[in-house]
Amino acid sequence: MSFTTAQRRAHYDDFVHQVITLCAVNSIRADLNSGFGRPVAECPRMPEHLTRHIAGFGARRAHYAVAGLIAQNRDLPHEHGPYQPELVTPGTDHTARATTAPAVTDAAPAPGVPAPPPGTTARPWRSRPDLGTHLAIAVARYGFKEATMTNRIKTLTKLDTELLHPRLWSLTSHLHSRGAARLDFAVLLEDLAWWDHDQLETAARWRENYFLTLHTLSAKEH
């Protein structure tokens, strides 16, 4: 089945919501946390929980990776409304700009595609924080060393999928150490799903948003 960009993005939001709900059960969380960024074939405990939520959308490894990253975080809300990542500023974001990519609200879900949880589609997709934005937030608000994080974003954006996914596990563990890991997992899922096909463009966006967010927050918060 062919999906529009808007329908895929609705799915990414719904997938994150479903995984966070699954993680309320400790045994399922442990299963989803068992992949450690490995290929799907090396994650035997995950399919029974994820297969029905991925069917038809492909990019299994990206879905598995994001499910594992969510399972790492024990502080995500499970029953108090939809998940919201940390934002640059409430209600606004410097990354909002003209884009040809449609927002999730541009089209209704296709038959069989669940609507995303309420409250997750209000912001245009490209105004939501990607990984570059979040790493800048970690520097500006959580005391991570700028030189170290700058080196990380430069390194990550050069890696292929086989090397990128394990690095994301170690990176998010590092972010967890100071409570800085409230990522926009749906946006990350789209980026990982297309990484093998659109790495140069996605990597450039991560770097640009990292440096722009760092500049913006440094000017506002210091």
Side-chain angles (χ1 to χ4, degrees), residues 47-48 78 87 92 106 111 128 146-147 156 158 179-180 183 206 221:
E48 68 175 293
H78 300 299
L87 305 180
T92 62
D106 287 349
R128 292 167 57 170
E146 180 177 344
L156 288 172
K158 296 176 182 177
L183 307 180
W206 283 8
E221 300 182 12

Side-chain angles (χ1 to χ4, degrees), residues 184-199:
D184 193 320
F185 293 107
V187 171
L188 179 60
L189 175 52
E190 180 183 58
D191 287 346
L192 295 182
W194 289 97
W195 191 259
D196 288 337
H197 307 284
D198 202 20
Q199 178 178 345

Side-chain angles (χ1 to χ4, degrees), residues 61 76-77 82 100 106 133 142 155 157 161 164 177 180-181 201 220:
R61 184 162 188 181
L76 299 182
T100 57
D106 287 349
T133 303
Y142 294 91
T155 299
T157 52
T161 294
L164 175 63
S177 68
E201 171 108 13
K220 288 183 177 180

Side-chain angles (χ1 to χ4, degrees), residues 93-161:
D93 194 314
H94 77 277
T95 59
R97 57 182 181 272
T99 175
T100 57
V104 173
T105 52
D106 287 349
V113 179
T120 60
T121 62
R123 303 176 67 216
W125 190 266
R126 282 290 170 246
S127 76
R128 292 167 57 170
D130 62 13
L131 187 64
T133 303
H134 283 296
L135 297 190
I137 291 173
V139 173
R141 293 182 177 166
Y142 294 91
F144 287 86
K145 292 183 179 179
E146 180 177 344
T148 300
M149 201 61 79
T150 298
N151 183 61
R152 281 179 179 265
I153 192 66
K154 290 180 178 179
T155 299
L156 288 172
T157 52
K158 296 176 182 177
L159 301 177
D160 61 19
T161 294

Side-chain angles (χ1 to χ4, degrees), residues 46-129:
M46 301 177 77
E48 68 175 293
H49 308 299
L50 299 182
T51 300
R52 66 186 181 276
H53 300 298
I54 299 173
F57 286 91
R60 288 189 302 157
R61 184 162 188 181
H63 284 83
Y64 275 50
V66 168
L69 296 178
I70 293 172
Q72 278 188 319
N73 194 332
R74 294 181 175 274
D75 300 322
L76 299 182
H78 300 299
E79 48 187 45
H80 302 297
Y83 171 73
Q84 294 290 340
E86 181 169 11
L87 305 180
V88 176
T89 56
T92 62
D93 194 314
H94 77 277
T95 59
R97 57 182 181 272
T99 175
T100 57
V104 173
T105 52
D106 287 349
V113 179
T120 60
T121 62
R123 303 176 67 216
W125 190 266
R126 282 290 170 246
S127 76
R128 292 167 57 170

